Amino acid sequence: MGTSVFVGILKDGSEVAVKRMLVESCENAAENEKNILSLINTKKSPFIVSYRHFLKDITFMYLIVDLCEETLDEHVDSQNIQHLRIHGRRMIKEMLTGLKCLHNQGILHRDLKPSNILVDVEGHMRLADFGISTVLNEDETTAHTDAKGTGGWMAAEVIATINQVGKGRFKKKSDIQPAGMIVFFILTKGGHPFGSTLYDRMTHIMNGNPVNMDTLDDPDARRFVSRLISHRIDDRPYADQALLLPLMVNMHYEGTSRPASTSGGL
């Protein structure tokens, strides 16, 4: 889609990620991402990627952000299930804390998926990729917008609006269902609660049929994921409420060190 990511070095010697996007095909998304990142107060949460600079020439736009080691899907693929069981709750808490920070600032991510969560050098989660994110106006609870996102990682109410005429309704809890899918992805080393193929996932999300839940053997984890991926939007918790559920409250301290990864992702 006209996007590449490189490692860059600033004049002060610090390393950054440089997201290069073609003006012709990515201008709207790039401008939107720059605007969203400039609104985010990352001092309130270390679990969102920090925006550094934005540059533009005739051909390309360059979004410069914190450098991270890899994406969550790369990280999950590189670790064994024992590591993910030890560190998984901490990883989930960091993701939801980042999402809580976004929602508290009226920002809807709208494209949560493992490849849009980065893992930094210390193993912490960083929410990233805000190309289709939306900002709610003050006192608004719903964004009226076109159905966008990534197949297999969209909330049921978003999928339902794909072929309808007019705008769909996207709420903070529309971010929660894919967040629950990511929780399942972490705890099962790459699994998905709604199936293994794109068709199965989209069909089962629409029908509210999480066919793979029995692969989660931890009762707290199963209840936690079930709440987050509830078919009815009103049955899902907000991010701050999810952080108060037993899986998060009962977690013991887990360190953040991890084995060195061979992945070269950003």
Side-chain angles (χ1 to χ4, degrees):
M1 298 296 292
T3 300
S4 302
V5 182
F6 303 90
V7 175
I9 301 177
L10 298 181
K11 288 182 178 180
D12 63 5
S14 60
E15 292 186 327
V16 292
V18 181
K19 186 175 181 180
R20 188 186 74 179
M21 297 159 280
L22 276 170
V23 171
E24 183 179 0
S25 58
C26 304
E27 185 170 17
N28 290 339
E31 292 284 354
N32 187 67
E33 184 163 13
K34 179 198 72 172
N35 293 336
I36 294 291
L37 284 169
S38 65
L39 291 173
I40 297 171
N41 185 353
T42 52
K43 291 180 180 179
K44 293 184 177 179
S45 175
F47 307 123
I48 301 171
V49 70
S50 291
Y51 164 68
R52 301 290 193 91
H53 302 286
F54 184 82
L55 305 170
K56 182 177 180 180
D57 58 32
I58 296 175
T59 307
F60 294 109
M61 295 166 292
Y62 305 87
L63 184 68
I64 302 173
V65 297
D66 288 343
L67 178 66
C68 291
E69 289 291 288
E70 55 192 345
T71 61
L72 178 60
D73 51 359
E74 291 169 333
H75 180 70
V76 166
D77 183 63
S78 69
Q79 305 299 333
N80 58 44
I81 191 66
Q82 289 77 19
H83 174 92
L84 295 172
R85 285 176 176 170
I86 292 170
H87 294 273
R89 294 190 186 195
R90 187 239 334 141
M91 295 162 63
I92 294 161
K93 188 170 187 177
E94 291 176 355
M95 174 189 68
L96 289 172
T97 301
L99 189 59
K100 173 186 173 181
C101 179
L102 286 181
H103 288 175
N104 284 347
Q105 296 177 68
I107 299 169
L108 310 180
H109 190 286
R110 298 185 66 213
D111 197 19
L112 284 175
K113 56 184 177 181
S115 61
N116 281 349
I117 299 174
L118 305 183
V119 184
D120 69 19
V121 68
E122 296 179 340
H124 294 297
M125 305 296 106
R126 302 280 199 97
L127 302 187
D129 283 282
F130 301 94
I132 62 171
S133 296
T134 299
V135 183
L136 293 171
N137 294 324
E138 190 174 355
D139 298 327
E140 277 187 345
T141 61
T142 304
H144 298 271
T145 181
D146 295 328
K148 291 183 179 179
T150 300
W153 300 98
M154 304 165 74
E157 61 274 12
V158 179
I159 297 173
T161 66
I162 290 176
N163 295 318
Q164 78 174 28
V165 177
K167 304 288 186 179
R169 296 163 60 87
F170 198 104
K171 297 175 176 285
K172 292 177 181 178
K173 289 185 178 182
S174 300
D175 277 336
I176 296 297
Q177 192 172 31
M181 300 175 202
I182 294 169
V183 172
F184 188 94
F185 179 87
I186 292 171
L187 296 178
T188 60
K189 188 175 163 55
H192 195 291
F194 291 101
S196 57
T197 69
L198 176 59
Y199 176 81
D200 285 346
R201 291 174 184 179
M202 296 292 276
T203 301
H204 291 313
I205 292 170
M206 273 294 297
N207 294 331
N209 183 26
V211 294
N212 287 336
M213 289 299 292
D214 59 354
T215 61
L216 271 179
D217 52 10
D218 181 342
D220 277 348
R222 195 180 305 117
R223 285 190 288 269
F224 185 79
V225 172
S226 295
R227 283 286 306 279
L228 269 61
I229 65 171
S230 295
H231 187 66
R232 290 184 68 252
I233 189 169
D234 291 339
D235 292 338
R236 301 172 207 153
Y238 289 104
D240 57 348
Q241 295 171 334
L243 287 164
L244 298 177
L245 293 175
L247 188 75
M248 299 289 94
V249 173
N250 297 335
M251 64 181 286
H252 57 81
Y253 175 77
E254 296 160 346
T256 60
S257 61
R258 61 188 176 91
S261 171
T262 58
S263 172
L266 294 174

